[in-house]
């Protein structure tokens, strides 16, 4: 597998989001060592702010629009930040079980959710979450630090995530 290659593609999406003053999360969905969809965070700015257009959801919409018949159990989602609870659950309900991320979401990451303790819908799901050392965490962290230190961006500025991110070496 080419984890670094796919994470670099996700980082490119995150950089595009940051260039538009959006929260710098990028995601790439991979099937059989080929990227099949991508997305970046949209609508995190005041005038269009919503919590629906997360990078993973945008990438999933891209995938389902172009390849609705793909075997989703074979997919891996690469994200520059750990998927939040909403994105993680959405991916699970759409059959995706493998996740790789660069930077942990200290405030709202969903991948540590104990599925066996939830309702029957989730209890039997087995997932693989990969937090691989040195899979471009520093590059992802740099984008988030840039975002949180910019006066043009106000999304989550006074949050635990901002505080945690800015405290990272």
């Amino acid at each position: 597998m080419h984890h670094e290659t796919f994470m670099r593609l996700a980082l490119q999406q995150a950089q595009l989001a940051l260039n538009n003053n959006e929260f710098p999360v990028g995601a790439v969905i991979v099937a059989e060592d080929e990227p099949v969809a991508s997305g970046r965070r949209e609508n995190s700015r005041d005038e269009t702010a919503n919590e629906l257009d997360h990078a993973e959801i945008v990438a999933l919409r891209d995938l389902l629009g172009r390849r609705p018949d793909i075997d989703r159990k074979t997919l891996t989602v690469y994200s520059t930040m750990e998927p939040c609870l909403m994105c993680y659950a959405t991916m699970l309900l759409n059959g995706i079980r493998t996740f790789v991320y660069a930077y942990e979401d200290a405030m709202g990451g969903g991948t540590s959710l104990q599925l066996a303790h939830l309702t029957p819908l989730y209890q039997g799901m087995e997932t693989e979450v990969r937090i691989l050392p040195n899979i471009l965490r520093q590059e992802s962290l740099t984008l988030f630090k840039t975002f949180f230190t910019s006066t043009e961006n106000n999304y989550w500025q006074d949050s635990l995530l901002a505080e945690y991110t800015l405290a990272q070496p």
Side-chain angles (χ1 to χ4, degrees):
M1 289 206 125
H2 309 284
H3 297 300
E4 190 171 311
T5 298
F6 299 131
M7 192 59 74
R8 284 202 186 283
L9 294 174
L11 279 164
Q12 289 173 2
Q13 290 294 314
Q15 182 65 59
L16 290 171
L18 184 62
N19 293 349
N20 289 322
N21 293 319
E22 298 283 358
F23 195 56
V25 179
V28 172
I29 301 176
V30 174
E32 300 177 14
D33 279 340
E34 290 293 325
V36 293
S38 64
R40 61 184 169 269
R41 181 64 165 99
E42 298 174 358
N43 298 312
S44 62
R45 297 182 54 91
D46 274 345
E47 58 273 6
T48 59
N50 73 61
E51 289 302 329
L52 296 173
D53 298 322
H54 289 202
E56 297 88 348
I57 302 299
V58 172
L60 183 61
R61 284 182 184 141
D62 178 38
L63 174 75
L64 296 177
R66 292 185 300 111
R67 306 256 325 253
D69 58 334
I70 197 164
D71 181 1
R72 297 178 201 165
K73 289 183 177 85
T74 68
L75 301 176
T76 300
V77 176
Y78 287 82
S79 184
T80 57
M81 174 172 268
E82 177 183 6
C84 72
L85 184 57
M86 175 186 73
C87 293
Y88 185 57
T90 299
M91 296 292 170
L92 290 174
L93 291 173
N94 278 279
I96 299 171
R97 299 291 188 267
T98 306
F99 304 86
V100 179
Y101 61 87
Y103 181 56
E104 64 279 5
D105 183 348
M107 185 171 75
T111 62
S112 62
L113 184 65
Q114 298 296 312
L115 299 175
H117 298 289
L118 298 179
T119 60
L121 177 63
Y122 297 94
Q123 287 175 355
M125 293 181 181
E126 293 184 23
T127 63
E128 183 177 343
V129 177
R130 299 179 188 176
I131 310 164
L132 303 168
N134 304 314
I135 299 297
L136 307 179
R137 181 185 185 273
Q138 194 60 45
E139 289 84 343
S140 185
L141 176 60
T142 298
L143 293 177
F144 288 104
K145 283 185 173 186
T146 300
F147 180 84
F148 284 127
T149 56
S150 170
T151 57
E152 293 184 38
N153 303 312
N154 58 12
Y155 184 73
W156 293 116
Q157 284 294 332
D158 296 320
S159 67
L160 171 64
L161 180 60
E163 182 181 322
Y164 176 81
T165 298
L166 295 174
Q168 297 299 302

